[in-house]
Amino acid sequence: MSASVGKSDWKILTENPNARVTGVQESLLQESEKDVLWYRDNFLGKVHQNYLAPDSPRGPLAISLAKDGTIYKALIRSNLGTERLSVAIVKVQRSTMRKLFGLSPTLENIISSMGYTVPSHFLKLCKDSSLPSELLSMEERQVIRSYKFGVEYISSGQTTEEHALCNTHENASPAYKKFLTFLGETIELSGWRGYRAGLDVSGANNTGIQSVYTKWQGYEIMYHVATLLPHKPEDKQQLERKRHIGNDIVMIIFQDEKTAFDLSSITSHQNHVVALVTPEEEGYRIQIASKAGVPSFLPEIPDPPLIQMDAMSRDFFLHKLVNAERASYKAPSFAPKLSRTRSVLLYDIAVKFLG
């Protein structure tokens, strides 16, 4: 074990002896990406209905409903997220009167047959032809394409984040520097035109001269590498470094040796997942810790938790980091903020199209 939780709300994630290191899996797709794909495949450009509610007991709502052969499909958008539902037409219950007069089931009939209840009297059918593209655009805006991860270095005998923040790149081990090449490529910050994650690219070198970056599976990842950020010998807390890494949701801590790193020494409320990495033979031993409230996330870590220095292992590791950040969004620290943002987006669309 290379970490201790002390009196903190960190927990070490368990490994699974049946898990395997694999390449990119379907779990890399964000829920919002799945929603976009499902809407494109089942609704956009096809006959379907859209219902809007700027306000309801469930907050603002936008529901898309389509009949696809023998199935009804629905996409229910609320401030809590989007749900993709379907039900066979023969299983939809109608009132006796609707059956008697040969009337189609109501929205409430269909949705309730899917095991979901909606405040249907708050919803209004909107036939505006521009609404489908507006709903698609809303979902696309919530797809996150760029990530920033903190990277700290722990040398032999060190056990706390304070130690890590004080280490310099010049004194770092060759194994650590090799690991940085595993993560991405070293780039010059001056004039950098890609995702910068808050780093100074003006040429003033306020956040260092170089950083580590990668473009992976259509996403941009910038690493806040502690040893490449400015080091001030007189500052014991290294506040300039902590200003960046302390705001990263996911951190990587590279340890030269399997020392019991003290997770309770991490004081930032923003840091929610830590990946501890130790060099071992031709690869790395990894251990993942998360704060209470972060739900489990794929891919599972194998037991023993070893990865190689190859492309598949790199895909596996980056996949785990990206999903770690996404899972953290559901933690109590972030979920209410995201819910409010989504609520505003849905409300604005409903008001725009319903007046």
Side-chain angles (χ1 to χ4, degrees):
M1 184 170 176
S2 53
S4 63
V5 297
K7 294 182 179 180
S8 69
D9 57 353
W10 289 97
K11 60 179 179 180
I12 306 294
L13 304 191
T14 57
E15 289 101 26
N16 182 352
N18 297 317
R20 296 290 181 269
V21 173
T22 61
V24 176
Q25 304 169 18
E26 185 185 351
S27 63
L28 179 64
L29 279 177
Q30 301 168 65
E31 287 305 310
S32 51
E33 287 178 294
K34 294 177 184 177
D35 297 336
V36 168
L37 292 172
W38 214 63
Y39 188 59
R40 281 178 177 163
D41 292 344
N42 298 287
F43 299 89
L44 199 64
K46 299 179 181 180
V47 176
H48 71 283
Q49 293 79 46
N50 289 303
Y51 298 84
L52 301 175
D55 190 26
S56 80
R58 291 178 179 266
L61 293 170
I63 297 178
S64 298
L65 181 68
K67 185 178 180 181
D68 185 5
T70 59
I71 296 174
Y72 279 117
K73 294 181 178 179
L75 201 60
I76 302 178
R77 308 171 187 84
S78 71
N79 61 338
L80 298 178
T82 300
E83 295 194 55
R84 301 178 293 276
L85 305 173
S86 61
V87 65
I89 291 175
V90 295
K91 292 186 177 181
V92 176
Q93 300 296 317
R94 288 179 292 167
S95 66
T96 303
M97 290 297 292
R98 297 194 77 83
K99 289 180 181 178
L100 183 63
F101 289 98
L103 298 174
S104 299
T106 64
L107 172 67
E108 189 172 11
N109 292 153
I110 297 169
I111 299 300
S112 62
S113 297
M114 295 175 175
Y116 196 96
T117 57
V118 294
S120 57
H121 55 287
F122 285 89
L123 290 156
K124 293 182 180 179
L125 177 65
C126 178
K127 297 183 179 181
D128 193 310
S129 61
S130 62
L131 176 58
S133 59
E134 188 87 10
L135 291 171
L136 180 64
S137 177
M138 184 199 77
E139 295 291 358
E140 287 176 332
R141 287 201 301 272
Q142 294 178 81
V143 175
I144 299 170
R145 294 291 180 191
S146 53
Y147 295 86
K148 56 187 182 71
F149 302 139
V151 181
E152 295 181 347
Y153 166 65
I154 289 286
S155 65
S156 177
Q158 296 182 333
T159 58
T160 68
E161 186 180 39
E162 185 177 309
H163 291 145
L165 291 172
C166 290
N167 286 328
T168 63
H169 200 72
E170 294 74 17
N171 295 327
S173 68
Y176 163 72
K177 293 176 181 177
K178 186 175 182 179
F179 174 67
L180 292 181
T181 67
F182 177 79
L183 293 178
E185 61 178 306
T186 299
I187 56 102
E188 301 294 322
L189 285 174
S190 180
W192 176 251
R193 295 184 179 276
Y195 174 57
R196 63 187 186 90
L199 297 177
D200 176 25
V201 297
S202 69
N205 301 332
N206 291 321
T207 57
I209 298 172
Q210 297 177 320
S211 190
V212 176
Y213 165 91
T214 191
K215 184 171 281 188
W216 177 78
Q217 297 295 320
Y219 305 117
E220 289 186 276
I221 300 173
M222 179 66 83
Y223 300 93
H224 288 148
V225 183
T227 58
L228 292 176
L229 290 167
H231 175 260
K232 297 181 179 179
E234 71 281 2
D235 183 4
K236 187 178 180 181
Q237 297 186 59
Q238 296 299 321
L239 293 178
E240 180 60 29
R241 290 178 167 183
K242 195 156 189 173
R243 182 169 69 89
H244 292 283
I245 295 175
N247 280 306
D248 293 330
I249 294 173
V250 177
M251 291 173 54
I252 305 164
I253 297 178
F254 183 92
Q255 300 174 279
D256 274 339
E257 299 176 353
K258 287 187 283 187
T259 311
F261 180 82
D262 182 10
L263 287 167
S264 66
S265 69
I266 299 173
T267 57
S268 170
H269 296 297
Q270 190 83 351
N271 302 147
H272 273 62
V273 176
V274 170
L276 294 130
V277 179
T278 309
E280 186 159 317
E281 297 179 357
E282 296 302 313
Y284 303 104
R285 178 176 292 270
I286 60 176
Q287 187 175 53
I288 308 294
S290 67
K291 279 187 176 175
V294 177
S296 60
F297 51 95
L298 296 173
E300 291 185 290
I301 300 296
D303 185 10
L306 301 173
I307 60 174
Q308 302 303 309
M309 297 182 188
D310 55 29
M312 181 181 290
S313 292
R314 182 175 185 269
D315 282 344
F316 176 86
F317 187 63
L318 295 182
H319 189 170
K320 189 68 175 177
L321 297 181
V322 167
N323 279 0
E325 176 155 330
R326 294 170 181 170
S328 298
Y329 297 153
K330 299 176 183 178
S333 301
F334 302 109
K337 301 173 188 175
L338 294 176
S339 177
R340 286 195 295 271
T341 299
R342 189 172 174 85
S343 183
V344 169
L345 291 173
L346 286 167
Y347 176 82
D348 288 347
I349 287 176
V351 169
K352 176 180 178 179
F353 285 93
L354 296 180

